[in-house]
Amino acid sequence: EDTKLTKSPHRAELGLCNEEDEREDAFIDQFNGCPVLKFQIVNELCNKEGAEIVDAIMKVVGIKFKGSGRVTRSEYVRVNLVDYEHPFLSRVWHGVHILDGTSPLLTDKAKQRIRENNGSWPSDWFSPDVIRRKLEFNDLIVTVAGISNISALTVHAYKRYKIGDVLIGYNFAPLVFRDKDSGMLEVDKTLVNDVREQAGLQGEDLSVRRLSESTRHGGQSVASSTIRITKSSEPLSNHFDLSS
């Protein structure tokens, strides 16, 4: 049996942090005051011993539709990740892209303003509506490939996200837990598509996805979310301590 990959199939999360002194300082130190776009990869055989994926590589490509009216063209851009390689993927992996002054997923005006602000986002930009207006892409294609530790064969996975799949102000729910009887770490795969609102931060209203937002991004509809949402009581940096 080959090792397979499954991904959070419905959502990508965009995290931001600009409140509460300790979390804000840690956030600025790590990402220089810029929000991040995060993808979650889960090894489908994460609870099976010896089913790791060796030398895994994650790549992300953004697609923009340029032009107006009937004259349009597609532009493909490489989206850089903080860590695009994983030497030994056994459980969960998060791909992180920083939305800074060099990000191809932002508008040109937004990138220029960030550079003028010493590489950080202006403090009045940290609200869901403002952040969404700074984004400029239609689709994101995420691919992952690696070598199965079971069969020594190459395995791969693919997912295409729409702009409406991005949730602003949310983070993936923790998946890795320690079994009380065996003491072993296990992944609860029933939570793979769950997110929770970041502590002390404003997340967008998932029950009302405004039609006006969809028209600003190429006329694509933004469907209402049906995923479960819980309020986090933990700092952002502690959400995934057990993931590997």
Side-chain angles (χ1 to χ4, degrees):
E1 182 179 8
D2 287 348
T3 303
K4 298 180 181 179
L5 294 175
T6 59
K7 299 172 293 305
S8 178
H10 303 301
R11 295 289 181 262
E13 273 61 44
L14 196 157
L16 54 122
C17 183
N18 73 321
E19 298 180 5
E20 301 188 10
D21 292 341
E22 291 185 3
R23 272 197 291 278
E24 182 177 3
D25 292 342
F27 180 85
I28 292 176
D29 289 343
Q30 185 174 7
F31 300 119
N32 195 30
C34 296
V36 297
L37 184 66
K38 182 181 292 186
F39 309 90
Q40 178 167 266
I41 307 296
V42 180
N43 184 345
E44 190 174 358
L45 301 180
C46 50
N47 293 322
K48 182 175 181 179
E49 186 177 358
E52 299 83 5
I53 299 170
V54 182
D55 292 335
I57 297 178
M58 185 189 311
K59 295 183 179 181
V60 181
V61 174
I63 302 177
K64 300 181 178 182
F65 296 150
K66 295 290 188 178
S68 61
R70 299 180 61 182
V71 181
T72 60
R73 62 182 176 86
S74 297
E75 179 180 336
Y76 296 83
V77 294
R78 176 70 66 186
V79 179
N80 294 326
L81 301 175
V82 175
D83 293 306
Y84 67 93
E85 296 179 317
H86 198 305
F88 206 64
L89 176 57
S90 59
R91 300 183 185 92
V92 183
W93 182 18
H94 291 110
V96 175
H97 170 70
I98 305 174
L99 293 168
D100 57 16
T102 65
S103 172
L105 303 183
L106 297 175
T107 65
D108 291 338
K109 290 184 178 179
K111 289 187 289 186
Q112 180 180 352
R113 180 69 181 90
I114 293 170
R115 290 192 292 266
E116 293 172 351
N117 197 47
N118 297 322
S120 300
W121 277 48
S123 58
D124 57 349
W125 281 15
F126 286 92
S127 68
D129 289 342
V130 174
I131 290 177
R132 191 169 291 278
R133 290 197 298 268
K134 306 305 178 184
L135 300 177
E136 187 184 50
F137 64 91
N138 294 82
D139 295 6
L140 290 173
I141 299 176
V142 181
T143 59
V144 181
I147 300 174
S148 168
N149 202 25
I150 295 178
S151 63
L153 298 176
T154 300
V155 294
H156 58 88
Y158 163 97
K159 176 62 187 177
R160 186 166 185 154
Y161 294 95
K162 297 292 185 180
I163 181 67
D165 293 328
V166 176
L167 303 182
I168 299 177
Y170 293 85
N171 215 330
F172 290 106
L175 301 179
V176 184
F177 302 91
R178 188 176 300 278
D179 186 271
K180 294 181 179 179
D181 297 327
S182 65
M184 301 294 292
L185 296 179
E186 295 185 357
V187 176
D188 186 349
K189 291 190 287 185
T190 64
L191 303 177
V192 69
N193 297 320
D194 288 11
V195 298
R196 59 182 183 178
E197 190 173 4
Q198 293 181 348
L201 304 174
Q202 178 188 5
E204 64 179 322
D205 185 355
L206 300 185
S207 64
V208 180
R209 307 301 294 269
R210 299 178 178 84
L211 181 61
S212 60
E213 290 182 350
S214 69
T215 58
R216 282 198 298 268
H217 298 284
Q220 297 183 13
S221 61
V222 183
S224 297
S225 174
T226 59
I227 54 181
R228 296 191 296 273
I229 303 170
T230 59
K231 186 69 175 181
S232 168
S233 60
E234 303 175 22
L236 180 65
S237 59
N238 291 336
H239 281 181
F240 306 103
D241 283 349
L242 297 180
S243 299
S244 63

